[in-house]
Amino acid sequence: MKRSYFLILSLFITVNLVAQITISNNDMPSANDIYHMSITTNLQGNDPVLTGINYLWDYSQLQANIQRSDTFVTVTSTPFAYQFYFNNILLYPTHKASYAIKGNDINFQVVSMTDLFDFYKNATSQYANVGFGANINGVPSSTRRIPVDVQYVFPLNYNNNNISYSEFLVSIPTIGDYGQSQERIDTVDGWGSVITPLGTFNCLRVKSILNITDTLYTSQFGIGLSFPRPQQIEYKWVAIGSGVPVLKITTAVGGSQIEYQDNLMVGINDNILPIYHFKAFPNPAKESILIDFQSLKKEQITINLKDINGKIVKQIYNGNIEKGNNHIFLSLSEFSNGIYFLEMRINNHTKTEKLIIAR
């Protein structure tokens, strides 16, 4: 019902009738809402940095390469083991979730998090990701974010600013611990109208700077490793009643992902390279690196490390990857100082990342 009302409203909005809006928790999703999201990695020449007051963002030329349908489900419809923290208002009131949505799997060589659901709490004062449930190496479990990841503070208006910090830690049986810390710096840096292939919407533009660090501790060797990721920036265009952003652009070293609300389509041309945000960090590196990338779908890939002359010095990975976030750890102890290139090959396409080893 909310989505139908939102689409009807959008038909009456024109560039000449734009007024600054305020977003509240009533404009966030509700349980059982379904959103069809078109996804591409081609900005069509647009610069997401551009913004302003009473601004017109024209993304009408975006062309979808793949599409997904997001359904916000009730907490009680998720696996029972996932609900431990998110359906208990007496013991865990901060983490009592409003609903959940299927998230991206996380694959970290010895750590596999599949069938992942992100849990969200929609309160009058803020909208936050409170944690997730997943099968971790085949064992269903529930993991809280402490503190929670606050994504919006209400009421949301132009020039609002907010900084939040969140982290989680997952215990991996017989292996150790995997964790992640995140700093989110939010600014509502514009308002006006955004044009997407779905229509024209009166909106606020929210810029989020994300500083994320992954940590991995192996109990067998008693070694802890920390991997600060390159900074990631999200640009979100949020409209009254839109639920999720009508347009979201995520940029980082290695490329951009653009997703926008759309009508359900069939026969989308997905003849594109489905890998984005392919990067290695730290870079320059001394002892080890984390190779990080995201995939729009399950694929077969090969990753090689080449020297400055183009000679393969090591095949790092050859096999299937899962849809979602993928991480590969590589020790550099066997390599000399110098310039190298990480090369990913997939479906006759190649992506390359320069790597410097300097001790």
Side-chain angles (χ1 to χ4, degrees), residues 231-242:
Q231 191 174 82
Q232 179 175 302
I233 301 179
E234 295 177 347
Y235 301 95
K236 294 174 287 189
W237 287 259
V238 186
I240 291 177
S242 67

Side-chain angles (χ1 to χ4, degrees), residues 82 106-115 132-141 170-178 216:
Y82 292 9
I106 299 175
N107 305 286
F108 203 144
Q109 288 175 296
V110 295
V111 180
S112 177
M113 301 184 191
T114 59
D115 195 25
F132 63 89
N135 278 308
I136 302 176
N137 286 4
V139 179
S141 63
V170 177
S171 179
I172 313 297
T174 73
I175 294 175
D177 300 300
Y178 168 65
L216 182 64

Side-chain angles (χ1 to χ4, degrees), residues 59 62 194 196 235-237 245-249 258-260:
Y59 286 87
L62 293 176
V194 61
T196 74
Y235 301 95
K236 294 174 287 189
W237 287 259
V246 294
L247 172 66
K248 177 181 176 182
I249 300 174
I258 306 97
E259 55 184 69
Y260 54 94

